[in-house]
Amino acid sequence: MSLPHALLGVLSYQPPTGYDLKTAFNASLRMFWNASLPQIYRTLHKMEESGWVLSSVEHQESKPNKKVYEITSDGKEELRRWLRKPIEGEQEKNELMIKVFFGRQMERHELIDIIRELRERKMAFIARSEGEFKQSADHFAQRLDARDDVPFWLLTLDFGVRKARMIVEWCDSALKILEE
């Protein structure tokens, strides 16, 4: 996935600050992509150099000034170009699978603990998805005047929930093998 294109997608709704972009990632895209605040700011700087975004400083009383980013027409065209482009290949980085692959290098109970913790996180995600994320989608749709986007957002949520269920199932199987 391309971080600049994910940022352009978020920017297409309203002009946010870098911090607002990080918050938007945490609220919506974190199932598929995680970006740190420094990564976001570095990428925004490069995007500004490319002409995809413009920044302006908003002066605030009794608070530090904030830098707000806005997508340009070139940025909108780049987003549309990227969205139409065929997927070239899925590159998934999965820290857990690296740890499992080299699992013999650690104590078995350490790997079991890692898998149990992942299982708990995925179960919690599934439980939250039942209502919290749908309400969140409705809230953001209203706030951003983006009601027509909700079905697309919910499709990604459905993918995330199905993937989480698959991971829980895999964890159960792996734990059974490792605990024997």
Side-chain angles (χ1 to χ4, degrees), residues 98-114:
I98 297 297
K99 290 182 179 193
V100 170
F101 190 84
F102 296 111
R104 195 174 63 79
Q105 306 294 326
M106 67 174 101
E107 297 293 325
R108 188 172 287 233
H109 70 87
E110 293 172 319
L111 183 55
I112 287 171
D113 290 346
I114 289 169

Side-chain angles (χ1 to χ4, degrees), residues 1 10 12 15-16 24 27 29 31 46 57 63 70 75-76 92 103 119 126 132 136 139 141-142 155 165 173:
M1 177 168 179
V10 175
S12 70
L29 300 174
M31 283 185 277
K46 290 176 186 172
V57 176
K63 290 184 187 176
E70 187 173 349
K76 288 177 184 176
E92 185 174 328
R119 185 186 190 287
I126 292 166
E132 179 183 321
S136 180
H139 168 77
Q142 185 175 11
L155 279 172
R165 286 186 179 130
S173 177

Side-chain angles (χ1 to χ4, degrees), residues 74-137:
D74 284 349
K76 288 177 184 176
E77 183 53 40
E78 174 57 25
L79 175 61
R80 285 190 291 273
R81 183 202 64 75
W82 181 80
L83 288 169
R84 290 187 302 261
K85 184 178 158 187
I87 297 171
E88 293 175 6
E90 296 179 53
Q91 284 194 349
E92 185 174 328
K93 297 176 184 175
N94 191 317
E95 183 180 350
L96 173 68
M97 289 299 106
I98 297 297
K99 290 182 179 193
V100 170
F101 190 84
F102 296 111
R104 195 174 63 79
Q105 306 294 326
M106 67 174 101
E107 297 293 325
R108 188 172 287 233
H109 70 87
E110 293 172 319
L111 183 55
I112 287 171
D113 290 346
I114 289 169
I115 294 171
R116 280 190 183 137
E117 191 274 330
L118 173 65
R119 185 186 190 287
E120 289 173 18
R121 277 190 295 132
K122 293 303 177 182
M123 290 297 291
F125 168 77
I126 292 166
R128 283 193 322 270
S129 300
E130 300 299 318
E132 179 183 321
F133 288 140
K134 170 72 168 99
Q135 289 174 340
S136 180

Side-chain angles (χ1 to χ4, degrees), residues 62-75:
S62 65
K63 290 184 187 176
N65 294 336
K66 64 181 181 179
K67 196 173 193 179
V68 177
Y69 295 87
E70 187 173 349
I71 190 170
T72 65
S73 58
D74 284 349

